C-alpha cells in the first residue's frame, strides 16, 4: 500500500485549501486530477525525488520565435527545424519557441487560442518534430488572454463558465499600490450582457487578466499543460506568473495564492510520468525572484534576471565590481532546482532586477550608452504616477559596440566575453537567436510595428542568413562559430553541471571576473576568468589556489597553465577556463 505521506492526495488537498478555502478540497482534488490526468492516464505512485538529474552540463537553450526565420515559401517552423539541425544540433540541445499559438498582439503574448498552433507558423506535427530532436520549452501565458479571444467574447456575452473568467474591478477601488510593468491604464471598460464592466489589464488593453479566484480557470490551464506535455513539451514557462492573483488594496504581485498555485503545478509535475520542468518568468529584484524557488517546492528553475543588466554594465564600464558583489551574495539553487542564465531575450534588458545593486549614476551611464548606440528605453508607471526606466531595448550584440568611453574596435571580443560569462556560471545557459546570430538593431521594425521591443525581434530571410553564415568573415558567422565552439567544450566539463559547486574568486583586480566551479564528484575544478576590460591585466596566480602536483590547462586556448607561476596575464576581453581535467 502506498504511504499516504508520499502520495499526491494529502498535499494536493492542503494546497487547494490554501487557494480556495471556501470550496470542498476533496471534490476539487478529484477535478484537478482528472484535468491533469484525463482518461485514466498513468501517474507516478510517488513524487519524483528532488535531485540534480533533470539537467546536466550538456544542456543549453536557444530562445526564438517560431518565425524568427522566414523565406516566404516554407512554413517557419520547418525553417526553424532546418536551422537547428544545420547549425546548432551539436552545440545546443534545447529550444524555447516563444508563444506559437494564434494571437492578436504583443508578438504572441495575447493568445487567442491556447489549443492550436498559429497556422502562419505550422501545426502540431511541426512542433512534435522539433520536440523529438530537442528538449522543447513552451509558454503558458496564464495571466491573461487576448481581448479578441473566444473566451473573452463569451465573457462579454455572459456565457458560462467564461462569464466568471476575468478579473473585474472598479475605478473607485484603491489601486494605488498595484505593481505593473506598463504605463497604460490598468482598467479597461467593456460592454457586457450584464452592463459595463471594468476589466483588469496588467499589460495592455488587448490582454485581459484572468481571475484565478475561480477554480475553473485553474482547471482549464491544467488541461492546457497536459496538452503541452502530450505534444512533447518538457519545460513549461510560466509567463508573467507573479501577477496571477489579484486583491484590491494590495500590490497584486507575489501574493501567497500565486505561490500556492505554482506549488500545486509543481506537485502535479513531480507525479507525472513524463519529465516536466517548471520555469517561472518573474522580471523583478533578486529577493522577489528567488522566492519562486519556494523551499525547493515551487519552480524547478528561475530566470537569473539580474545577469543581463549586470553583465551589460560590466562590459560597458570595464569593471566587474557590481557583478562580483552580486554574485558573491547569490545562494546556490536549492536541491532539485536551477538557474536559467542569459543576457538577451525577446524582451528588453530589464532594469528592475538591478535595483539595489547598481547605483543610480551607474544605471544612468548604462542607459545613456544604450541610447548612444541607437537603443531605446521603455518606461513603467510608479505608484505615485511618475515613470521609471523598466527595460532597455537593444540587441545585446549592438550593445557591445561601445563602452562608457565610446566606440572602439573590440565589439566581437567584448560580446563573446559577455556570453562566456553566461556559460561559466552555475545554472543552465540560454541564448536568444539574435545573440547567436549577432543581429543588429532593427530600427525599421520599430517604425513599422510601433513598439520598442521590435528592435530586438528581427525576422531573418533564411536565404540571406545562410549566405551570411557561409562567409566566415561576417560578424554573424564569426559569432555563431565562436559561441558554438565554446558550448561544445562546455558540454564535456562536469564542473559546468548546473548544480556544480561555485565560489566567486577575488582576483585582486575588478577588471577580471573570476569564479571557481567544482564537479559534483569533486574530481574536476574549472577556474573561469573573464577580463571585462580593453586592457591586458595581470592577476596573482595564488588567487586560484592551483594544486601544484596537477596539470592545468586553459580549455579555451589549449595552453598549459603553470601552477607555480606568480602571475597570470589575461588579454583584453579574454576568457580562460583553467581546468585540471580535459
Amino acid at each position: 500500500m502506498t504511504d499516504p505521506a508520499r502520495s499526491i492526495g494529502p498535499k494536493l488537498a492542503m494546497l487547494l485549501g490554501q487557494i480556495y478555502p471556501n470550496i470542498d478540497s476533496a471534490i476539487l482534488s478529484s477535478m484537478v486530477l482528472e484535468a491533469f490526468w484525463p482518461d485514466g492516464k498513468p501517474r507516478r505512485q510517488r513524487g519524483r525525488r528532488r535531485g540534480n538529474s533533470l539537467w546536466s552540463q550538456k544542456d543549453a537553450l536557444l530562445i526564438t520565435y517560431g518565425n524568427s526565420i522566414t523565406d516566404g515559401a516554407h512554413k517557419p517552423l520547418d525553417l526553424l527545424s532546418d536551422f537547428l539541425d544545420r547549425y546548432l544540433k551539436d552545440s545546443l540541445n534545447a529550444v524555447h519557441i516563444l508563444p506559437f499559438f494564434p494571437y492578436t498582439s504583443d508578438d504572441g503574448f495575447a493568445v487567442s487560442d491556447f489549443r492550436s498552433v498559429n497556422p502562419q507558423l505550422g501545426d502540431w506535427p511541426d512542433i512534435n518534430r522539433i520536440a523529438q530532436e530537442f528538449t522543447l520549452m513552451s509558454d503558458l501565458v496564464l495571466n491573461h488572454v487576448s481581448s479578441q479571444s473566444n473566451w473573452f467574447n463569451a465573457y462579454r456575452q455572459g456565457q458560462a463558465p467564461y462569464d466568471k473568467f476575468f478579473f473585474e474591478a472598479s475605478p473607485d477601488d484603491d489601486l494605488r499600490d498595484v505593481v505593473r510593468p506598463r504605463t497604460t491604464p490598468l482598467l479597461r471598460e467593456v460592454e457586457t450582457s450584464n452592463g459595463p464592466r471594468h476589466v483588469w489589464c496588467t499589460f495592455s488593453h488587448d490582454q485581459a487578466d484572468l481571475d484565478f479566484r475561480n477554480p475553473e480557470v485553474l482547471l482549464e490551464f491544467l488541461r492546457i499543460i497536459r496538452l503541452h506535455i502530450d505534444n512533447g513539451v518538457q519545460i513549461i514557462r510560466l509567463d508573467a506568473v507573479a501577477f496571477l492573483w489579484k486583491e484590491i488594496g494590495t500590490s497584486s504581485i507575489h501574493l501567497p495564492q500565486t505561490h500556492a498555485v505554482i506549488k500545486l503545478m509543481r506537485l502535479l509535475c513531480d507525479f507525472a510520468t513524463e519529465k516536466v520542468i517548471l520555469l517561472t518568468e518573474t522580471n523583478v529584484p533578486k529577493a522577489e525572484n528567488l522566492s519562486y524557488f519556494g523551499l525547493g517546492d515551487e519552480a524547478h528553475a528561475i530566470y537569473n534576471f539580474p545577469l543581463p543588466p549586470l553583465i551589460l554594465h560590466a562590459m560597458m564600464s570595464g569593471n566587474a565590481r557590481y557583478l562580483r558583489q552580486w554574485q558573491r551574495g547569490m545562494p546556490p539553487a536549492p536541491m532539485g532546482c536551477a538557474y536559467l542564465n542569459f543576457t538577451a531575450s525577446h524582451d528588453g534588458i530589464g532594469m528592475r532586477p538591478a535595483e539595489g545593486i547598481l547605483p543610480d549614476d551607474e544605471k544612468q551611464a548604462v542607459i545613456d550608452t544604450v541610447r548612444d548606440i541607437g537603443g531605446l528605453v521603455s518606461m513603467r508607471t510608479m505608484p505615485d504616477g511618475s515613470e521609471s526606466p523598466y527595460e532597455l531595448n537593444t540587441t545585446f550584440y549592438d550593445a557591445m559596440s561601445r563602452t562608457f568611453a565610446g566606440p572602439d574596435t573590440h565589439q566581437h571580443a567584448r560580446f563573446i566575453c559577455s556570453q562566456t560569462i553566461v556559460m561559466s556560471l552555475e545554472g543552465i545557459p540560454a541564448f536568444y537567436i539574435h545573440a547567436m546570430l549577432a543581429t543588429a538593431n532593427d530600427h525599421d521594425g520599430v517604425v513599422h510595428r510601433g513598439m520598442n521591443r521590435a528592435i530586438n525581434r528581427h525576422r531573418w530571410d533564411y536565404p540571406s542568413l545562410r549566405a551570411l553564415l557561409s562567409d566566415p568573415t561576417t560578424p554573424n558567422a564569426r559569432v555563431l562559430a565562436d559561441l558554438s565552439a565554446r558550448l561544445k567544450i562546455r558540454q564535456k566539463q562536469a564542473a559546468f553541471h548546473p548544480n556544480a559547486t561555485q565560489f566567486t574568486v577575488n582576483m585582486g583586480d575588478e577588471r577580471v571576473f573570476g569564479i571557481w566551479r567544482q564537479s559534483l564528484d569533486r574530481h574536476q575544478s574549472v577556474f573561469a576568468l573573464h577580463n571585462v576590460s580593453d586592457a591586458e591585466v595581470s592577476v596573482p596566480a595564488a588567487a586560484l589556489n592551483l594544486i601544484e602536483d596537477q596539470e592545468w590547462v586553459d580549455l579555451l586556448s589549449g595552453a598549459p597553465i603553470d601552477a607555480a607561476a606568480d602571475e597570470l596575464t589575461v588579454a583584453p576581453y579574454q576568457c580562460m577556463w583553467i581546468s585540471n581535467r580535459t
Side-chain angles (χ1 to χ4, degrees):
M1 181 177 294
T2 302
D3 181 355
R6 292 182 175 271
S7 66
I8 195 172
K11 181 70 172 178
L12 179 60
M14 182 191 73
L15 289 170
L16 289 170
Q18 294 175 7
I19 304 167
Y20 305 108
N22 299 321
I23 300 177
D24 187 296
S25 59
I27 295 175
L28 194 50
S29 291
S30 296
M31 297 172 70
V32 164
L33 295 176
E34 174 58 27
F36 200 75
W37 287 287
D39 306 320
K41 282 184 176 290
R43 66 173 186 263
R44 297 169 62 96
Q45 293 302 304
R46 294 186 178 186
R48 186 174 283 106
R49 292 185 177 182
R50 295 177 199 168
N52 41 40
S53 61
L54 289 174
W55 37 69
S56 77
Q57 64 273 16
K58 297 179 181 179
D59 292 315
L61 178 82
L62 180 76
I63 305 167
T64 181
Y65 280 100
N67 61 353
S68 290
I69 299 173
T70 63
D71 68 357
H74 299 89
K75 291 184 292 186
L77 287 175
D78 279 347
L79 297 179
L80 175 60
S81 180
D82 183 82
F83 172 77
L84 291 168
D85 184 67
R86 188 183 299 270
Y87 296 104
L88 293 175
K89 66 178 180 180
D90 295 328
S91 53
L92 292 159
N93 67 348
V95 58
H96 171 201
I97 306 178
L98 289 151
F100 47 76
F101 315 101
Y103 71 97
T104 55
S105 64
D106 198 18
D107 279 351
F109 287 92
V111 178
S112 57
D113 182 356
F114 288 97
R115 296 184 174 279
S116 301
V117 173
N118 183 348
Q120 295 181 357
L121 301 178
D123 207 340
W124 281 115
D126 305 304
I127 295 293
N128 304 153
R129 187 163 53 254
I130 293 174
Q132 290 172 2
E133 300 295 329
F134 293 83
T135 297
L136 178 61
M137 182 196 298
S138 68
D139 285 279
L140 190 70
V141 186
L142 73 175
N143 179 72
H144 48 262
V145 66
S146 167
S147 66
Q148 301 170 63
S149 64
N150 289 335
W151 288 11
F152 197 71
N153 288 334
Y155 157 77
R156 296 183 67 173
Q157 296 168 20
Q159 298 176 11
Y162 304 105
D163 56 335
K164 295 181 175 61
F165 259 42
F166 294 89
F167 197 96
E168 300 175 349
S170 166
D172 298 327
D173 288 332
D174 181 5
L175 305 175
R176 292 172 297 178
D177 294 332
V178 173
V179 173
R180 53 195 299 260
R182 298 291 187 272
T183 58
T184 53
L186 175 62
L187 301 182
R188 173 193 174 186
E189 184 175 1
V190 297
E191 290 296 328
T192 76
S193 60
N194 297 313
R197 293 288 187 272
H198 290 86
V199 177
W200 194 289
C201 298
T202 297
F203 291 91
S204 79
H205 282 187
D206 189 39
Q207 293 162 294
D209 282 35
L210 293 152
D211 190 352
F212 274 82
R213 296 175 303 179
N214 176 4
E216 290 293 339
V217 175
L218 173 63
L219 293 170
E220 186 60 23
F221 275 99
L222 295 181
R223 297 182 190 106
I224 293 167
I225 293 176
R226 170 49 58 186
L227 175 67
H228 288 220
I229 295 171
D230 288 347
N231 277 283
V233 171
Q234 295 186 40
I235 308 174
I236 305 286
R237 177 182 183 269
L238 303 181
D239 176 67
V241 69
F243 304 98
L244 181 145
W245 199 276
K246 291 94 176 163
E247 285 186 4
I248 304 300
T250 75
S251 63
S252 292
I253 188 172
H254 313 313
L255 296 187
Q257 295 91 336
T258 293
H259 286 281
V261 168
I262 298 171
K263 289 179 182 178
L264 183 146
M265 291 179 174
R266 168 68 179 267
L267 179 67
L268 297 174
C269 291
D270 283 348
F271 274 85
T273 57
E274 304 89 349
K275 172 184 172 182
V276 186
I277 295 171
L278 290 181
L279 171 69
T280 50
E281 186 266 333
T282 51
N283 193 354
V284 292
K286 170 185 168 182
E288 298 169 46
N289 192 33
L290 289 173
S291 72
Y292 285 87
F293 279 141
L295 298 176
D297 57 354
E298 291 189 36
H300 293 91
I302 65 172
Y303 282 86
N304 214 342
F305 274 113
L307 266 183
L310 291 179
I311 291 180
L312 181 66
H313 174 270
M315 306 310 300
M316 285 182 167
S317 67
N319 190 308
R321 173 187 175 188
Y322 297 106
L323 175 63
R324 180 170 63 86
Q325 286 181 349
W326 164 79
Q327 187 59 65
R328 286 178 60 187
M330 282 293 288
M335 177 65 74
C337 299
Y339 293 106
L340 188 77
N341 298 323
F342 71 110
T343 58
S345 74
H346 63 291
D347 289 338
I349 300 167
M351 295 304 291
R352 281 207 69 203
E355 293 175 6
I357 306 173
L358 284 180
D360 288 343
D361 59 336
E362 297 291 337
K363 284 193 288 188
Q364 191 59 51
V366 171
I367 291 170
D368 292 343
T369 305
V370 166
R371 284 181 167 141
D372 288 342
I373 57 97
L376 305 170
V377 180
S378 294
M379 311 297 284
R380 70 184 180 102
T381 300
M382 305 296 287
D384 63 1
S386 63
E387 293 187 355
S388 175
Y390 173 68
E391 68 178 20
L392 308 179
N393 302 110
T394 176
T395 68
F396 214 87
Y397 182 75
D398 262 14
M400 294 293 97
S401 64
R402 66 187 297 153
T403 66
F404 292 169
D408 58 24
T409 60
H410 293 292
Q411 181 178 14
H412 179 84
R414 189 157 46 235
F415 178 75
I416 296 301
C417 178
S418 74
Q419 303 308 297
T420 305
I421 293 174
V422 171
M423 298 183 204
S424 302
L425 290 170
E426 174 196 343
I428 302 166
F431 304 90
Y432 188 36
I433 190 170
H434 295 306
M436 294 295 293
L437 295 176
T439 306
N441 283 334
D442 189 349
H443 296 286
D444 289 341
V446 174
V447 173
H448 293 153
R449 302 173 68 191
M451 56 186 291
N452 284 359
R453 285 178 169 176
I455 200 171
N456 192 28
R457 298 179 180 179
H458 182 68
R459 292 173 183 163
W460 279 104
D461 172 67
Y462 198 27
S464 300
L465 175 61
R466 289 193 59 192
L468 289 170
L469 296 179
S470 68
D471 179 353
T473 67
T474 64
N476 319 86
R478 292 176 64 207
V479 163
L480 183 61
D482 286 353
L483 293 182
S484 296
R486 294 194 175 186
L487 283 167
K488 290 174 186 177
I489 294 171
R490 184 186 183 278
Q491 291 172 353
K492 301 175 183 178
Q493 314 311 319
F496 284 139
H497 185 285
N499 300 116
T501 298
Q502 174 174 291
F503 284 102
T504 307
V505 180
N506 185 351
M507 299 305 303
D509 191 309
E510 292 179 337
R511 292 173 293 181
V512 178
F513 176 59
I515 55 173
W516 172 55
R517 303 295 308 279
Q518 186 181 57
S519 60
L520 296 170
D521 62 10
R522 303 181 69 178
H523 288 165
Q524 184 189 26
S525 286
V526 172
F527 293 92
L529 307 184
H530 317 83
N531 183 355
V532 302
S533 77
D534 61 1
E536 182 176 275
V537 180
S538 293
V539 294
L544 302 184
N545 192 31
L546 300 180
I547 300 172
E548 291 192 10
D549 61 355
Q550 293 185 345
E551 294 184 0
W552 295 86
V553 64
D554 174 15
L555 298 171
L556 296 179
S557 68
I561 303 296
D562 183 0
D566 292 330
E567 290 186 332
L568 290 173
T569 300
V570 192
Y573 301 110
Q574 181 183 4
C575 300
M576 303 175 76
W577 285 345
I578 301 173
S579 174
N580 62 334
R581 291 171 64 90
T582 59

